[in-house]
Amino acid sequence: MSNSQIKVAMVTGHHEYDVINFQRMLRSFPDIDFYPQHLEDFILDDDDARSQYDVIAFYNYQQCTPSATGDQFSKDIRVEWERVDIKGPLEALGETCQGILMLHHALTAFPKWQYWLDICGMGDTTKAFQPGAVSRKDQNLHIEVADPHHPITRGMESWEMIDETYNFSDAREESEVLLRVDHPQSMSTIAWTRKHKDVRVFCLQSGHDNQTFSNPNFRKILGRGVHWLAGRI
């Protein structure tokens, strides 16, 4: 097993976040090398550059479904998109051995793109599961370990954490649920794994701000998730 740092593309865009504390959290993993980049930079990079990552992580929130050319998503990026295959790099996910991490609001990006929903194992993310409760910030959550045998959660016990909740329908049945929460303003499943093509996918609903970033159990789950996606555990 390789002892080199795990290289992770951390893809962001179209959602504000606590940049300093997010970066501070990413730098706290000595054996993981995160490369934050906007989605447009990820798309514009070439195949050889993208192939250098062990894991592709998404922390983005674009809402317009990308198409080959000419949609609002392409216009927002302000380049000559007729020369660029917008969907290609995203539709190529799963064609290499690179694991895929869907973090927090990335789960609700591209809400009308079935391809993205299928990677995440999500149902309808265009509206809340309960009316008027799309998300709630600063909620006290009791996190329960649903699968104590999975490498990501093995040996972990339940913990308390403050985070933003999403109240969408739960992860689909073909997903393996790792963490659950019982909260009236939250979906029950908040961490799960699945497959996209033959590639590992880890979905983590948590991750709103520094109240979560600084939580040692959140960091442990995130770090172990990256290791699992990279085939290190």
Side-chain angles (χ1 to χ4, degrees):
M1 183 176 293
S2 174
N3 291 320
S4 62
Q5 282 189 311
I6 301 171
K7 294 182 175 62
V8 181
M10 179 59 74
V11 180
T12 66
H14 283 223
H15 196 295
E16 72 282 358
Y17 64 94
D18 183 345
V19 174
I20 291 177
N21 284 310
F22 189 67
Q23 294 274 14
R24 181 177 290 127
M25 176 192 67
L26 298 182
R27 293 169 183 170
S28 72
F29 299 96
D31 53 354
I32 304 175
D33 198 2
F34 288 94
Y35 294 83
Q37 56 198 275
H38 195 280
L39 180 62
E40 67 186 75
D41 298 314
F42 178 78
I43 289 174
L44 287 171
D45 223 341
D46 57 39
D47 291 340
D48 289 340
R50 286 191 294 267
S51 70
Q52 297 181 53
Y53 301 112
D54 301 297
V55 175
I56 310 297
F58 291 94
Y59 193 60
N60 62 303
Y61 191 63
Q62 285 80 3
Q63 295 295 287
C64 296
T65 302
S67 61
T69 57
D71 62 1
Q72 186 60 46
F73 176 75
S74 65
K75 293 175 184 177
D76 288 345
I77 296 182
R78 300 176 184 174
V79 296
E80 296 180 359
W81 280 109
E82 62 270 16
R83 301 179 184 176
V84 178
D85 180 3
I86 301 171
K87 297 179 72 175
L90 297 178
E91 291 182 332
L93 293 171
E95 294 178 0
T96 67
C97 60
Q98 296 162 304
I100 302 169
L101 169 64
M102 293 293 186
L103 180 60
H104 194 53
H105 45 251
L107 291 166
T108 61
F110 306 123
K112 296 183 180 179
W113 192 14
Q114 191 60 49
Y115 169 78
W116 192 263
L117 296 174
D118 289 342
I119 294 178
C120 298
M122 298 286 286
D124 183 4
T125 59
T126 61
K127 57 183 181 298
F129 187 60
Q130 295 180 1
V134 175
S135 67
R136 290 291 185 272
K137 299 177 181 178
D138 302 327
Q139 296 298 308
N140 291 297
L141 303 177
H142 179 74
I143 312 297
E144 290 284 351
V145 177
D147 185 353
H149 305 294
H150 194 280
I152 296 177
T153 48
R154 184 177 296 138
M156 295 191 69
E157 298 181 352
S158 61
W159 74 90
E160 308 295 320
M161 185 168 66
I162 297 176
D163 203 356
E164 179 183 41
T165 60
Y166 291 151
N167 206 351
F168 298 106
S169 55
D170 288 324
R172 298 203 303 243
E173 290 183 357
E174 67 270 21
S175 302
E176 182 177 2
V177 178
L178 304 185
L179 300 176
R180 292 186 181 275
V181 64
D182 184 8
H183 189 284
Q185 295 175 341
S186 176
M187 55 196 292
S188 171
T189 56
I190 61 166
W192 60 92
T193 62
R194 53 188 295 103
K195 282 286 190 75
H196 173 59
K197 301 173 185 176
D198 289 326
V199 168
R200 291 175 171 180
V201 179
F202 177 46
C203 300
L204 181 57
Q205 184 272 321
S206 298
H208 175 65
D209 61 18
N210 196 48
Q211 295 178 101
T212 309
F213 303 155
S214 61
N215 185 284
N217 285 300
F218 172 79
R219 292 190 179 192
K220 181 180 290 188
I221 286 291
L222 180 60
R224 285 187 177 182
V226 169
H227 277 78
W228 180 77
L229 291 171
R232 300 291 182 90
I233 60 173

